[in-house]
Amino acid sequence: MSQPIAIDGSLLEGGGQILRVALTLSCLKRISIRIYNIRAGRNKPGLMEQHLKGLELVRALSNAQVTGAFIGSTEISFSPKEIVGGTFNAFVKTAGSISLLLQVALPCALFAQFPVNLRLRGGTNAEMAPQVDYMTEVFRPILEKFGATFDFELIKRGYFPKGGGEVVISIQPVKELKGIHLVNPGKVTSISGWSFVAGALPPHISNRMAESARRMLLKVCRNINIESYKEDHNVAPDNASGIILIAYTDTECILGADALGKRNETPEKTGERASEMLLKNMDHQTCVDNYCQDQIIVFMALASGPSSVKVGEITLHTKTAIYVVETLTKVKFNIETLETGGSIIHCTGSQ
């Protein structure tokens, strides 16, 4: 048996991104890997529960042999077998992000022998990760441009710090992914969104977030529809508030942004934060937002043909994902810097 490929988890982003991308590609390419210095760039290095559950999830998906799978571990080895399919669970006790569990498992599930059902528990709307609404309303339509998709059922919302959210995701495998070419951002034709409160928080908070966001976004678009509502107590019993915004262009690009309410922050400020994030991406004339930029790197690498995507500033997460892909595969990326601002990410596709 060949020696596993070693990856230094302290490089570049130095967090969970290296772990997730490396595990995904290890499963898909049947490559044995060893990751050391895991999350060395974080205040608490090593595997947290969220990372451990993601590791256990792809271990189950690929019937892999694993060492070092415990909380606090700074080194693991991972040797996968075939991705068969079936039903798999990942239950994070904290508000660890369900979206990040999906990031590591979804590409693997798309190339399983049989359909995959994932029952995931944890945080549905958490800081430092895309909200699940972003994954379904922004990321999924972009994934469909590659020729794949997933079905999503929300069972329960889970917020910081308790978590307890639950979703069921069903994935039909594909034979291949196709390359995408998103280089013309076009003009924004409409903006939609959802502004919510949950638990004991009063509905006027969601109205104030939405109105604040709307005022800022009217500078660039008149066609704005932001729905304000209070979550059903049976689905979201705990206190939380937040807003998700989506911009659509006439060239079928989709940009997203979101923000969660914070203590000692007015609802107006929460709405402004989400709007500022969306406006920044629009100002840079991007075809995908910064959330999505790093997420699509794996799919560009797996596609059967080349891809080109116009983005704004290349994020550290994107640089990290590209580094791991080029370490574990023969796929090559090229970043074209544009005189007008922003960049185009070119990828050769699967070799």
Side-chain angles (χ1 to χ4, degrees), residues 147-172:
T149 191
F150 58 89
D151 291 327
F152 176 91
E153 180 184 4
L154 175 68
I155 307 299
K156 187 180 179 182
R157 295 274 183 183
Y159 306 120
F160 181 83
K162 293 182 180 180
E166 183 173 350
V167 304
V168 176
I169 297 165
S170 302
I171 301 117
Q172 292 290 333

Side-chain angles (χ1 to χ4, degrees), residues 82-85 109 111-115 173:
E82 201 164 26
I83 305 171
V84 178
F111 288 92
Q113 289 188 20
F114 305 105

Side-chain angles (χ1 to χ4, degrees), residues 216-280:
M216 290 191 66
L217 295 172
L218 280 171
K219 303 172 187 176
V220 296
C221 181
R222 307 299 298 182
N223 185 10
I224 301 173
N225 179 27
I226 304 174
E227 179 185 355
S228 302
Y229 65 98
K230 180 163 184 172
E231 291 278 10
D232 186 318
H233 185 76
N234 294 319
V235 176
D238 298 323
N239 292 347
S241 65
I243 184 169
I244 299 97
L245 300 171
I246 306 171
Y248 303 90
T249 79
D250 56 7
T251 54
E252 298 186 352
C253 294
I254 303 174
L255 307 174
D258 62 39
L260 291 171
K262 299 180 178 180
R263 290 185 179 182
N264 303 320
E265 178 179 84
T266 65
E268 287 78 11
K269 182 59 180 177
T270 305
E272 287 175 9
R273 283 197 292 117
S275 298
E276 287 169 354
M277 186 184 303
L278 187 63
L279 288 169
K280 183 177 181 180

Side-chain angles (χ1 to χ4, degrees), residues 34 40 89 107 120 148 258 304:
R34 178 175 69 89
N89 302 322
L120 309 177
D258 62 39
S304 59

Side-chain angles (χ1 to χ4, degrees), residues 64-110:
Q65 292 184 331
V66 180
T67 63
F70 55 87
I71 299 292
S73 174
T74 58
E75 182 173 331
I76 66 163
S77 65
F78 188 88
S79 297
K81 297 180 182 177
E82 201 164 26
I83 305 171
V84 178
T87 299
F88 303 90
N89 302 322
F91 299 163
V92 183
K93 296 177 183 177
T94 65
S97 171
I98 285 175
S99 296
L100 296 184
L101 290 175
L102 181 60
Q103 276 187 24
V104 69
L106 176 60
C108 303
L110 286 173

